[in-house]
Amino acid sequence: EVQLVESGGGLVQAGGSLRLSCAASGFPFDDYSIGWFRQAPGKEREGVSCIGNPDGNPYYTNSVKGRFTISNDYAKRTVYLQMDSLKPEDTAVYYCAAVRLLGSCVVRASVYHIWGQGTQVTVSS
C-alpha cells in the first residue's frame, strides 16, 4: 500500500524543539520529492518546506526559515523536519506529502498526490 506516516508531533513550550518524521512505503521513494505542509484551525493549508531530488536543496517558507531544517535518509526511506525555536504560531497539524517530480521542489499542495494523515504539533506560550 502506498503510504506516508508522520510521527514526532506533540506538545512543547515556546522555544522548544521537535523532530517530525515521515516514513514512506509502497512507492519508489528515491524518485519522489517530499514536502511538509501544515494547517492550523481556521487557516488555509500552508507549505512549510520541501527538499529537492536528487540535488537535496531545501526550500523553507519565510516564517520558518532559520528555525526548521529538512533532511532525508534514503536508506530509511524517511524525511525529517527538525523544528527549533518553536513559536505558538507554529501550532498546526503537520502533513508530509510526496510527488514524482524531480529537481527543484515546490510547496504547492496541488502538485502532491501522496499524503500522510498528519501529526499534531502544539506550542504553548
Side-chain angles (χ1 to χ4, degrees):
E1 181 180 357
V2 174
Q3 191 173 26
L4 291 173
V5 179
E6 302 96 335
S7 62
L11 175 64
V12 65
Q13 290 188 317
S17 297
L18 288 171
R19 188 182 72 163
L20 305 184
S21 298
C22 174
S25 61
F27 65 94
F29 179 75
D30 292 353
D31 295 334
Y32 285 69
S33 295
I34 305 295
W36 284 96
F37 299 80
R38 66 187 181 186
Q39 188 163 20
K43 296 184 179 180
E44 296 182 353
R45 184 169 48 190
E46 175 189 22
V48 176
S49 182
C50 62
I51 187 164
N53 189 4
D55 57 26
N57 292 334
Y59 167 84
Y60 304 97
T61 194
N62 286 338
S63 63
V64 309
K65 193 173 298 182
R67 299 188 297 119
F68 290 11
T69 304
I70 191 170
S71 62
N72 55 34
D73 185 333
Y74 288 106
K76 294 183 178 180
R77 298 172 56 85
T78 301
V79 171
Y80 303 96
L81 186 68
Q82 177 68 41
M83 305 186 296
D84 298 320
S85 302
L86 283 163
K87 303 175 181 180
E89 51 262 45
D90 295 318
T91 296
V93 177
Y94 283 70
Y95 302 89
C96 65
V99 58
R100 193 166 187 168
L101 179 65
L102 303 181
S104 298
C105 68
V106 297
V107 287
R108 181 160 55 90
S110 62
V111 310
Y112 288 81
H113 52 89
I114 303 174
W115 290 83
Q117 293 186 338
T119 185
Q120 176 70 48
V121 172
T122 303
V123 184
S124 64
S125 60

